[in-house]
């Protein structure tokens, strides 16, 4: 820790952009290392169950289940990291996809922190703020998750039914709250995002297509809008 | 079924699940330290860095409760460690439950049925772990290329930099617009939950501005969720 402090101290004098370069280089290194480690560990679990403990269900079963599942999620493997990259940045992508729950936890944490600090998404400060927030969110999530899962079943059964009825509203409340954060700063963006989202959600498209379309259309409209504003102020 | 569940909460599955969690926790700590140093380099004040960390931590509480509630519904079928591992990394509960049933079906049985033996459980583990590996593989391989592409675009001109900022904000708004609407089409109560949380957020934010109190901003999302749930409680 003390060593880190000194290093940071000497680095302050160097320009901000080289600091970001260095940050990205380190983020790629540690990000890849940790993601590969998690990847190898996760795949080692079924290998252990199949070949060390002798519960192998047969390759036919595994292959047919995997192909059926991949048919549903394979597109998402590629689409999700790509569409969230503009929001999460380099380091956010590594943490977000390892800790999971990108939409319901990482994005709200990043957005709220940017709001609290007053940093714009898509800037250096915005990216650092998002990384700090997502990292902290990931930690809190893991620290709470373990005991809550262990005692959770017991705890939940003790919570009276009439209070349990509000649990389904946690997610809509999160999304509504974060949307309002943006609407306060850029009301038009908020209206566009919600309107596009609403129209798309009335269509019977698959979930990931909805998200992709919504992002593309909203970006398109916002870019057109900004261009219009620029020409207006130029005149 | 009983034998499968004994395997599901056995030593091997616990060990690997805890190791994966260890990696996730190590990564979070490492990235917070890296970002803290980089934040200083680009001239962020100490209180801004602390505020970002605090806000992230507070914001995670609400979602974590929601995640645990969904996770608890998977435990009877998958056992504690596998649920922890799948929900604790990449996974989101709805997708994991689809993968789990596909795995069980391929073995010729169903989750929670009497025919769900240790081999069926292993089939489920294969499906979920290979399925989840796809995201990790893509992130490990492609993130560097994506960042190179982004830098190329941004470095070309200042105009591109501004466009990237609009794109980043619009993408974020779109993501939440979509997530919020997906909840709102479920019914009036859900619409109310979204609207009450939005209204509370407006109020807390203007309070924070008026009183010049940043802690209100840090707690605003957590408080908005709470207000929305309390109102929701009285509606139903």
């Amino acid at each position: 820790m003390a060593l880190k402090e000194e290093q940071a101290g000497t680095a302050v004098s160097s320009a901000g952009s080289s600091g970001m370069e260095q940050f990205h280089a380190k983020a790629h290194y540690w990000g890849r290392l940790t993601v590969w480690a998690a990847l190898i560990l996760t795949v080692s679990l079924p290998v252990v169950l199949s070949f060390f403990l002798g519960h192998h269900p047969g390759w036919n079963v595994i292959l047919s289940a995997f192909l059926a599942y991949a048919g549903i999620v394979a597109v998402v493997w590629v689409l999700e990291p790509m569409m969230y990259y503009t929001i999460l940045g380099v380091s956010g992508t590594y943490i977000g996809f390892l800790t999971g729950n990108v939409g319901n936890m990482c994005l709200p944490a990043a957005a709220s922190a940017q709001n609290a600090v007053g940093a714009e998404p898509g800037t250096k400060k915005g990216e650092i703020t998002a990384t700090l927030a997502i990292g902290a969110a990931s930690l809190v999530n893991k620290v709470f998750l373990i005991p809550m899962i262990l005692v959770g079943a017991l705890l939940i059964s003790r919570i009276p039914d009439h209070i349990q009825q509000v649990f389904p509203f946690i997610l809509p409340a999160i999304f509504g709250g974060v949307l309002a954060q943006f609407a306060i700063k850029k009301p038009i963006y908020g209206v566009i995002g919600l309107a596009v989202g609403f129209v798309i959600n009335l269509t019977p498209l698959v979930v990931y297509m909805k998200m992709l379309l919504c992002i593309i259309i909203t970006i398109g409209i916002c870019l057109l809008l900004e261009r219009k504003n620029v020409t207006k102020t130029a005149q | 079924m009983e034998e499968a569940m004994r395997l599901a909460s056995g030593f091997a599955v616990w060990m690997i699940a805890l190791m994966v969690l260890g990696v996730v926790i190590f990564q979070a700590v490492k990235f917070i330290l890296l970002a803290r140093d980089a934040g200083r380099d680009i001239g962020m004040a100490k209180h801004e860095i602390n505020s970002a960390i605090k806000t992230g931590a507070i914001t995670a509480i609400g979602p974590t409760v929601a995640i645990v509630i969904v996770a608890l519904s998977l435990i009877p079928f998958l056992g504690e460690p596998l649920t922890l591992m799948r929900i604790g990394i990449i996974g989101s509960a709805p997708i994991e439950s689809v993968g789990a049933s596909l795995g069980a079906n391929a073995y010729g049985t169903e989750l929670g049925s009497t025919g769900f033996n240790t081999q069926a459980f292993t089939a489920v583990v294969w499906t979920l772990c290979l399925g989840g590996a796809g995201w990790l593989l893509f992130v490990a391989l492609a993130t560097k290329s994506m960042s190179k592409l982004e830098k190329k675009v941004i470095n070309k001109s200042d105009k591109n930099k501004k466009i990237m900022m609009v794109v980043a904000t619009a993408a974020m708004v779109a993501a939440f617009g979509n997530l919020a609407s997906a909840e709102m089409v479920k019914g009036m109560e859900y619409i109310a939950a979204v609207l009450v949380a939005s209204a509370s957020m407006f109020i807390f934010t203007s309070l924070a501005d008026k009183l010049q109190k940043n802690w209100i901003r840090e707690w605003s999302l957590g408080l908005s969720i709470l207000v929305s749930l309390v109102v929701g409680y009285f509606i139903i």
Side-chain angles (χ1 to χ4, degrees):
Chain A
M1 262 322 237
L3 202 100
K4 267 240 143 58
E5 224 82 67
E6 271 166 42
Q7 281 174 346
T10 51
V12 169
S13 52
S14 67
S17 63
S18 77
M20 272 318 260
E21 286 291 325
Q22 236 180 26
F23 172 65
H24 281 157
K26 282 184 192 159
H28 281 306
Y29 175 77
W30 287 105
R32 288 172 153 198
L33 194 78
T34 44
V35 171
W36 277 115
L39 188 62
I40 292 165
L41 279 173
T42 28
V43 178
S44 75
L45 175 60
V47 171
V48 167
L49 290 179
S50 266
F51 305 114
F52 289 83
L53 299 176
H55 304 290
H56 191 50
W59 286 113
N60 273 339
V61 172
I62 295 170
L63 205 67
S64 67
F66 174 68
L67 287 180
Y69 191 39
I72 303 172
V73 294
V75 194
V76 194
W77 293 336
V78 176
L79 276 186
E80 257 187 7
M82 280 179 21
M83 66 190 183
Y84 286 132
Y85 176 80
T86 45
I87 307 175
L88 295 169
V90 171
S91 42
T93 301
Y94 287 118
I95 318 181
F97 283 91
L98 191 60
T99 196
N101 301 296
V102 174
N104 53 353
M105 184 180 78
C106 297
L107 293 186
S112 300
Q114 287 173 344
N115 189 41
V117 173
E120 297 275 336
T123 60
K124 285 176 199 163
K125 195 175 168 188
E127 185 180 342
I128 298 289
T129 305
T131 306
L132 291 167
I134 298 172
S138 172
L139 270 185
V140 167
N141 178 251
K142 298 303 158 282
V143 169
F144 274 82
L145 211 54
I146 302 172
M148 277 172 95
I149 283 197
L150 287 181
V151 297
L154 223 104
L155 206 73
I156 293 267
S157 64
R158 299 243 169 131
I159 297 176
D161 279 347
H162 56 102
I163 292 184
Q164 285 194 35
Q165 281 178 345
V166 301
F167 287 162
F169 303 126
I170 298 180
L171 278 181
I174 295 172
F175 301 144
V178 179
L179 199 61
Q181 279 181 341
F182 287 101
I184 293 167
K185 280 186 285 183
K186 299 204 162 151
I188 308 171
Y189 279 34
V191 172
I192 295 170
L194 194 61
V196 173
F198 214 85
V199 171
I200 284 177
N201 272 289
L202 293 174
T203 64
L205 288 165
V206 248
V207 177
Y208 61 85
M209 279 307 288
K210 283 183 185 164
M211 187 56 116
L212 184 69
L213 264 181
C214 197
I215 289 183
I216 291 174
I217 295 175
T218 309
I219 288 177
I221 297 177
C222 290
L223 280 176
L224 279 176
L225 217 72
E226 292 293 326
R227 190 178 292 167
K228 224 178 184 178
N229 284 346
V230 169
T231 48
K232 239 184 213 164
T233 48
Q235 275 167 0
Chain B
M1 175 71 191
E2 266 165 42
E3 212 182 325
M5 291 329 284
R6 215 173 301 135
L7 177 68
S9 36
F11 178 74
V13 190
W14 264 119
M15 269 315 282
I16 292 177
L18 288 179
M19 281 198 282
V20 172
L21 268 158
V23 172
V24 179
I25 290 173
F26 168 80
Q27 189 209 41
V29 173
K30 187 77 206 171
F31 271 78
I32 290 175
L33 294 176
L34 288 177
R36 193 193 59 178
D37 292 349
R40 281 193 200 134
D41 288 357
I42 63 159
M44 278 175 79
K46 199 169 180 186
H47 69 89
E48 289 181 313
I49 292 173
N50 289 340
S51 176
I53 295 175
K54 219 194 298 171
T55 311
I58 295 167
T59 308
I61 298 172
T64 299
V65 173
I67 292 161
V68 168
I69 291 163
V70 188
L72 289 176
S73 62
L74 283 177
I75 289 181
F77 308 112
L78 303 182
E80 287 98 349
L82 184 64
T83 306
L84 193 62
M85 187 170 150
R86 300 309 320 159
I87 305 290
I89 54 165
I90 341 154
S92 67
I95 293 187
E96 299 300 324
S97 56
V98 171
S101 359
L102 285 174
N105 292 347
Y107 189 73
T109 176
E110 266 166 40
L111 291 175
S113 80
T114 43
F116 190 78
N117 58 14
T118 56
Q119 283 163 328
F121 175 73
T122 306
V124 168
V125 174
W126 273 105
T127 317
L128 293 182
C129 289
L130 287 180
W135 276 277
L136 294 178
L137 198 64
F138 185 80
V139 166
L141 294 176
T143 307
K144 210 166 185 175
S145 320
M146 292 194 287
S147 97
K148 269 188 197 148
L149 190 74
E150 186 199 15
K151 282 208 176 97
K152 227 189 228 166
V153 173
I154 289 182
N155 287 338
K156 241 183 198 162
S157 69
D158 262 1
K159 200 181 142 212
N160 278 354
K161 211 180 248 171
K162 278 205 189 95
I163 290 178
M164 269 312 288
M165 273 173 67
V166 175
V167 168
T169 310
M172 193 96 129
V173 173
F176 286 106
N178 179 45
L179 292 167
S181 335
E183 296 289 331
M184 286 167 90
V185 293
K186 287 183 191 165
M188 282 313 286
E189 301 100 313
Y190 291 85
I191 295 180
V194 170
L195 292 182
V196 172
S198 302
S200 317
M201 181 56 89
F202 272 109
I203 295 169
F204 286 127
T205 305
S206 36
L207 263 180
D209 285 342
K210 206 176 229 171
L211 305 173
Q212 298 286 321
K213 291 273 188 283
N214 209 46
W215 68 265
I216 301 180
R217 220 182 287 270
E218 290 165 354
W219 281 91
S220 55
L221 187 60
L223 291 173
S224 301
I225 295 168
L226 202 65
V227 171
S228 177
L229 291 183
V230 170
V231 172
Y233 176 77
F234 287 108
I235 289 180
I236 35 177

